[in-house]
Amino acid sequence: MSQAVAVPLEARVENELPSVHKVLFVCTGNTCRSPMAAALLNDKMRTREVCSAMGDEASPLKPVFATSAGLWAEVGAPITALAAAALAEAGVAAVPPNDYTAHRARLVSEELMTEADEVVAITGAHAMELMMRFPQHAAKITTLGVDIPDPYGGDATRYRACLEMLCYAISRHFGVGECDEG
């Protein structure tokens, strides 16, 4: 009898959607900004794929899937409760394969950098650190065009403001529509 083996989400995406555009968001600790950015982009792309299936010609030709990592992450730490609450409040569904409530922090690595088609640093300082650590991947490292302040240690208002900035920047960077008000 064979045993079931847990397959990491990234491996399932790779096997099921070989032509998917893989985005890696990178911040400091991988518990606030980068997991929020990945969840937000995945949610926007899920909506876009539904529109594509219904004949919306504005949808992308290639599916996109985002993950995240941190430069100085405490491996295994969960997404902060306030980050998860801000996403839920904004209507970002925590459903597979975008269940951000199950997120666990991880360090950016050579393997993650190699697997990604695009590496999006949350600030210019993060981008510079990535380029110093992984110069061979410099061509795929970018930013959202605006530094997103770290909400860590702040209140719910600070996390909502961070999510609003991420939404605006991601919408502009990836061309995935506007953000909901409220």
Side-chain angles (χ1 to χ4, degrees):
M1 178 180 353
S2 65
Q3 290 184 324
V5 177
V7 178
L9 175 60
E10 290 80 11
R12 290 195 313 263
V13 169
E14 178 70 28
N15 292 333
E16 293 171 13
L17 297 170
S19 65
V20 69
H21 180 76
K22 296 174 209 83
V23 176
L24 176 66
F25 286 101
V26 178
C27 69
T28 306
N30 193 219
T31 59
C32 302
R33 294 172 290 178
S34 59
M36 288 169 67
L40 190 59
L41 180 59
N42 288 336
D43 187 69
K44 286 180 168 291
M45 294 312 298
R46 182 180 56 81
T47 302
R48 199 110 195 246
E49 288 167 11
V50 169
C51 292
S52 175
M54 294 172 49
D56 180 355
E57 298 193 18
S59 63
L61 298 175
K62 193 172 189 179
V64 173
F65 186 77
T67 60
S68 64
L71 289 163
W72 293 281
E74 181 183 327
V75 175
I79 188 171
T80 64
L82 289 172
L87 287 163
E89 182 180 297
V92 177
V95 295
N98 195 33
D99 185 2
Y100 53 84
T101 62
H103 170 79
R104 294 296 175 259
R106 59 189 182 164
L107 286 168
V108 66
S109 65
E110 174 63 32
E111 181 182 4
L112 292 174
M113 294 293 290
T114 299
E115 290 173 356
D117 296 307
E118 182 175 0
V119 179
V120 182
I122 299 297
T123 70
H126 292 131
M128 292 302 296
E129 181 67 25
L130 285 166
M131 287 183 203
M132 288 190 301
R133 289 189 195 184
F134 307 100
Q136 66 278 25
H137 298 292
K140 63 170 100 172
I141 298 169
T142 187
T143 68
L144 292 171
V146 60
D147 285 355
I148 308 295
D150 194 348
Y152 188 79
D155 62 10
T157 301
R158 195 163 169 188
Y159 277 82
R160 284 192 292 270
C162 177
L163 184 62
E164 186 176 315
M165 287 184 72
L166 283 167
C167 188
Y168 173 76
I170 287 169
S171 293
R172 287 188 58 216
H173 185 85
F174 292 96
V176 289
E178 300 301 316
C179 300
D180 295 330
E181 295 294 323

PDB file of all heavy atoms in Angstrom, residues 118-133:
ATOM      1  N   GLU A 118       9.156  36.401 -11.364  1.00  0.00           N
ATOM      2  CA  GLU A 118       9.250  37.805 -10.983  1.00  0.00           C
ATOM      3  C   GLU A 118       9.361  37.873  -9.460  1.00  0.00           C
ATOM      4  O   GLU A 118       8.598  37.227  -8.754  1.00  0.00           O
ATOM      5  CB  GLU A 118       8.010  38.555 -11.458  1.00  0.00           C
ATOM      6  CG  GLU A 118       7.985  40.016 -11.182  1.00  0.00           C
ATOM      7  CD  GLU A 118       6.764  40.722 -11.782  1.00  0.00           C
ATOM      8  OE1 GLU A 118       5.923  40.057 -12.416  1.00  0.00           O
ATOM      9  OE2 GLU A 118       6.664  41.936 -11.591  1.00  0.00           O
ATOM     10  N   VAL A 119      10.309  38.658  -8.972  1.00  0.00           N
ATOM     11  CA  VAL A 119      10.501  38.846  -7.535  1.00  0.00           C
ATOM     12  C   VAL A 119      10.180  40.307  -7.232  1.00  0.00           C
ATOM     13  O   VAL A 119      10.852  41.211  -7.748  1.00  0.00           O
ATOM     14  CB  VAL A 119      11.938  38.489  -7.097  1.00  0.00           C
ATOM     15  CG1 VAL A 119      12.107  38.715  -5.603  1.00  0.00           C
ATOM     16  CG2 VAL A 119      12.264  37.048  -7.474  1.00  0.00           C
ATOM     17  N   VAL A 120       9.154  40.522  -6.422  1.00  0.00           N
ATOM     18  CA  VAL A 120       8.706  41.874  -6.115  1.00  0.00           C
ATOM     19  C   VAL A 120       9.072  42.211  -4.678  1.00  0.00           C
ATOM     20  O   VAL A 120       8.506  41.651  -3.732  1.00  0.00           O
ATOM     21  CB  VAL A 120       7.184  42.031  -6.338  1.00  0.00           C
ATOM     22  CG1 VAL A 120       6.749  43.463  -6.052  1.00  0.00           C
ATOM     23  CG2 VAL A 120       6.802  41.622  -7.761  1.00  0.00           C
ATOM     24  N   ALA A 121      10.017  43.120  -4.529  1.00  0.00           N
ATOM     25  CA  ALA A 121      10.431  43.589  -3.214  1.00  0.00           C
ATOM     26  C   ALA A 121       9.431  44.640  -2.742  1.00  0.00           C
ATOM     27  O   ALA A 121       8.983  45.488  -3.519  1.00  0.00           O
ATOM     28  CB  ALA A 121      11.830  44.182  -3.281  1.00  0.00           C
ATOM     29  N   ILE A 122       9.098  44.603  -1.470  1.00  0.00           N
ATOM     30  CA  ILE A 122       8.094  45.515  -0.919  1.00  0.00           C
ATOM     31  C   ILE A 122       8.634  46.935  -0.761  1.00  0.00           C
ATOM     32  O   ILE A 122       7.877  47.900  -0.810  1.00  0.00           O
ATOM     33  CB  ILE A 122       7.539  44.956   0.416  1.00  0.00           C
ATOM     34  CG1 ILE A 122       6.857  43.603   0.177  1.00  0.00           C
ATOM     35  CG2 ILE A 122       6.610  45.926   1.099  1.00  0.00           C
ATOM     36  CD1 ILE A 122       5.628  43.639  -0.732  1.00  0.00           C
ATOM     37  N   THR A 123       9.952  47.073  -0.620  1.00  0.00           N
ATOM     38  CA  THR A 123      10.578  48.404  -0.578  1.00  0.00           C
ATOM     39  C   THR A 123      11.841  48.388  -1.435  1.00  0.00           C
ATOM     40  O   THR A 123      12.365  47.324  -1.779  1.00  0.00           O
ATOM     41  CB  THR A 123      10.983  48.816   0.861  1.00  0.00           C
ATOM     42  OG1 THR A 123      12.079  47.998   1.281  1.00  0.00           O
ATOM     43  CG2 THR A 123       9.818  48.711   1.843  1.00  0.00           C
ATOM     44  N   GLY A 124      12.338  49.563  -1.729  1.00  0.00           N
ATOM     45  CA  GLY A 124      13.591  49.668  -2.453  1.00  0.00           C
ATOM     46  C   GLY A 124      14.748  49.066  -1.677  1.00  0.00           C
ATOM     47  O   GLY A 124      15.650  48.460  -2.265  1.00  0.00           O
ATOM     48  N   ALA A 125      14.730  49.211  -0.352  1.00  0.00           N
ATOM     49  CA  ALA A 125      15.790  48.623   0.478  1.00  0.00           C
ATOM     50  C   ALA A 125      15.761  47.095   0.388  1.00  0.00           C
ATOM     51  O   ALA A 125      16.818  46.452   0.340  1.00  0.00           O
ATOM     52  CB  ALA A 125      15.641  49.077   1.931  1.00  0.00           C
ATOM     53  N   HIS A 126      14.570  46.520   0.349  1.00  0.00           N
ATOM     54  CA  HIS A 126      14.468  45.065   0.175  1.00  0.00           C
ATOM     55  C   HIS A 126      15.043  44.657  -1.177  1.00  0.00           C
ATOM     56  O   HIS A 126      15.744  43.645  -1.291  1.00  0.00           O
ATOM     57  CB  HIS A 126      13.011  44.601   0.262  1.00  0.00           C
ATOM     58  CG  HIS A 126      12.394  44.739   1.618  1.00  0.00           C
ATOM     59  ND1 HIS A 126      11.167  45.336   1.805  1.00  0.00           N
ATOM     60  CD2 HIS A 126      12.813  44.364   2.844  1.00  0.00           C
ATOM     61  CE1 HIS A 126      10.864  45.320   3.092  1.00  0.00           C
ATOM     62  NE2 HIS A 126      11.860  44.735   3.748  1.00  0.00           N
ATOM     63  N   ALA A 127      14.741  45.426  -2.217  1.00  0.00           N
ATOM     64  CA  ALA A 127      15.258  45.116  -3.561  1.00  0.00           C
ATOM     65  C   ALA A 127      16.778  45.156  -3.571  1.00  0.00           C
ATOM     66  O   ALA A 127      17.427  44.271  -4.148  1.00  0.00           O
ATOM     67  CB  ALA A 127      14.683  46.096  -4.586  1.00  0.00           C
ATOM     68  N   MET A 128      17.356  46.161  -2.934  1.00  0.00           N
ATOM     69  CA  MET A 128      18.822  46.260  -2.898  1.00  0.00           C
ATOM     70  C   MET A 128      19.426  45.066  -2.155  1.00  0.00           C
ATOM     71  O   MET A 128      20.424  44.494  -2.608  1.00  0.00           O
ATOM     72  CB  MET A 128      19.252  47.573  -2.230  1.00  0.00           C
ATOM     73  CG  MET A 128      18.911  48.800  -3.053  1.00  0.00           C
ATOM     74  SD  MET A 128      19.637  48.790  -4.710  1.00  0.00           S
ATOM     75  CE  MET A 128      21.359  48.826  -4.314  1.00  0.00           C
ATOM     76  N   GLU A 129      18.820  44.675  -1.046  1.00  0.00           N
ATOM     77  CA  GLU A 129      19.325  43.523  -0.292  1.00  0.00           C
ATOM     78  C   GLU A 129      19.226  42.245  -1.132  1.00  0.00           C
ATOM     79  O   GLU A 129      20.146  41.423  -1.135  1.00  0.00           O
ATOM     80  CB  GLU A 129      18.548  43.359   1.022  1.00  0.00           C
ATOM     81  CG  GLU A 129      19.021  42.214   1.886  1.00  0.00           C
ATOM     82  CD  GLU A 129      20.411  42.383   2.468  1.00  0.00           C
ATOM     83  OE1 GLU A 129      20.883  43.536   2.627  1.00  0.00           O
ATOM     84  OE2 GLU A 129      21.050  41.345   2.771  1.00  0.00           O
ATOM     85  N   LEU A 130      18.124  42.092  -1.840  1.00  0.00           N
ATOM     86  CA  LEU A 130      17.964  40.916  -2.711  1.00  0.00           C
ATOM     87  C   LEU A 130      19.031  40.894  -3.803  1.00  0.00           C
ATOM     88  O   LEU A 130      19.592  39.843  -4.114  1.00  0.00           O
ATOM     89  CB  LEU A 130      16.569  40.899  -3.341  1.00  0.00           C
ATOM     90  CG  LEU A 130      15.432  40.490  -2.422  1.00  0.00           C
ATOM     91  CD1 LEU A 130      14.082  40.831  -3.049  1.00  0.00           C
ATOM     92  CD2 LEU A 130      15.507  39.007  -2.091  1.00  0.00           C
ATOM     93  N   MET A 131      19.309  42.056  -4.384  1.00  0.00           N
ATOM     94  CA  MET A 131      20.319  42.117  -5.441  1.00  0.00           C
ATOM     95  C   MET A 131      21.714  41.812  -4.905  1.00  0.00           C
ATOM     96  O   MET A 131      22.525  41.201  -5.603  1.00  0.00           O
ATOM     97  CB  MET A 131      20.278  43.476  -6.132  1.00  0.00           C
ATOM     98  CG  MET A 131      19.063  43.630  -7.019  1.00  0.00           C
ATOM     99  SD  MET A 131      19.102  45.199  -7.878  1.00  0.00           S
ATOM    100  CE  MET A 131      17.366  45.405  -8.238  1.00  0.00           C
ATOM    101  N   MET A 132      21.982  42.211  -3.671  1.00  0.00           N
ATOM    102  CA  MET A 132      23.288  41.890  -3.071  1.00  0.00           C
ATOM    103  C   MET A 132      23.397  40.397  -2.769  1.00  0.00           C
ATOM    104  O   MET A 132      24.440  39.793  -2.988  1.00  0.00           O
ATOM    105  CB  MET A 132      23.510  42.709  -1.802  1.00  0.00           C
ATOM    106  CG  MET A 132      23.786  44.175  -2.091  1.00  0.00           C
ATOM    107  SD  MET A 132      24.335  45.143  -0.661  1.00  0.00           S
ATOM    108  CE  MET A 132      22.990  44.963   0.479  1.00  0.00           C
ATOM    109  N   ARG A 133      22.325  39.804  -2.279  1.00  0.00           N
ATOM    110  CA  ARG A 133      22.355  38.378  -1.933  1.00  0.00           C
ATOM    111  C   ARG A 133      22.263  37.467  -3.161  1.00  0.00           C
ATOM    112  O   ARG A 133      22.820  36.377  -3.163  1.00  0.00           O
ATOM    113  CB  ARG A 133      21.181  38.025  -1.017  1.00  0.00           C
ATOM    114  CG  ARG A 133      21.293  38.562   0.381  1.00  0.00           C
ATOM    115  CD  ARG A 133      20.197  37.955   1.237  1.00  0.00           C
ATOM    116  NE  ARG A 133      20.009  38.674   2.482  1.00  0.00           N
ATOM    117  CZ  ARG A 133      19.163  38.286   3.422  1.00  0.00           C
ATOM    118  NH1 ARG A 133      18.436  37.187   3.264  1.00  0.00           N
ATOM    119  NH2 ARG A 133      19.026  38.988   4.523  1.00  0.00           N
TER     120      ARG A 133
END
